């Protein structure tokens, strides 16, 4: 019965606001459009509790579906967090491995002397003419 008092209170407040809006309308020519709009809004407010009473199972089903959907989203987000943590661990492991390999195969310092050996085969004498 409490919901009925709540609906009556909402409709009463809406009617007071609607009459205030009609009273302070900018032009008299807008009155019929304004009344039509307010009447439709009032009908929606009155039909909403009636539809809830008549089709309450569908509306309650929507609440259950919304709760299930929220739980599914929560589960997916938790799985995503776990996967992100695993990915971060894998990236850290690869980074550590690369750092170890880099330390083991340090490139020679530019100031260190480098020994290069070049062998030049003997070239037969040939006559070269330049023009």
């Amino acid at each position: 019965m409490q919901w009925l008092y709540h609906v009556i209170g909402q409709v009463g407040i809406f009617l007071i606001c609607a009459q205030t809006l009609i009273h302070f309308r900018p032009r008299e020519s807008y009155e019929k459009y304004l009344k039509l709009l307010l009447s439709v809004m009032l009908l929606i407010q009155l039909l909403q509790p009636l539809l809830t009473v008549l089709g309450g199972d569908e509306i309650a089903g929507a609440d259950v579906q919304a709760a299930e959907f929220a739980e599914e989203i929560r589960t997916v987000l938790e799985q995503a967090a776990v996967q992100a943590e695993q990915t971060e661990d894998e990236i850290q492991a690869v980074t550590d491995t690369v750092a170890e390999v880099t330390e083991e195969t340090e490139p020679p310092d530019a100031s260190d002397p480098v020994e290069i050996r070049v062998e030049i085969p003997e070239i037969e004498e040939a006559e070269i003419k330049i023009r």
Side-chain angles (χ1 to χ4, degrees):
M1 201 62 171
Q2 187 69 23
W3 65 271
L4 184 61
Y5 294 134
H6 179 72
V7 169
I8 291 172
Q10 278 186 329
V11 169
I13 291 171
F14 178 78
L15 286 174
I16 291 170
C17 292
Q19 286 301 320
T20 305
L21 190 63
I22 290 173
H23 180 71
F24 292 115
R25 68 188 179 278
R27 291 193 185 147
E28 201 169 297
S29 62
Y30 294 146
E31 184 175 358
K32 59 183 174 181
Y33 302 113
L34 192 58
K35 283 186 178 182
L36 175 68
L37 178 66
L38 293 173
S39 299
V40 170
M41 291 171 67
L42 180 63
L43 281 175
I44 291 172
Q45 280 191 353
L46 291 174
L47 289 177
Q48 186 178 10
L50 183 65
L51 292 175
T52 303
V53 171
L54 296 177
D57 294 338
E58 294 173 7
I59 294 173
D63 291 341
V64 171
Q65 287 178 348
E68 289 174 356
F69 183 66
E71 183 63 32
E72 185 177 340
I73 288 176
R74 193 174 301 115
T75 304
V76 168
L77 289 175
E78 288 172 359
Q79 290 174 351
V82 169
Q83 285 181 341
E85 187 175 318
Q86 289 173 351
T87 304
E88 287 176 4
D89 292 343
E90 291 173 1
I91 289 172
Q92 185 62 39
V94 169
T95 305
D96 292 343
T97 305
V98 168
E100 289 173 7
V101 169
T102 304
E103 288 174 2
E104 291 173 3
T105 59
E106 248 182 65
D109 193 15
S111 62
D112 292 343
V114 177
E115 186 176 310
I116 300 176
R117 185 172 182 195
V118 178
E119 292 184 20
I120 302 175
E122 290 185 25
I123 302 175
E124 293 182 18
E125 290 184 22
E127 191 175 312
I128 300 175
K129 292 183 179 179
I130 300 175
R131 294 185 184 177

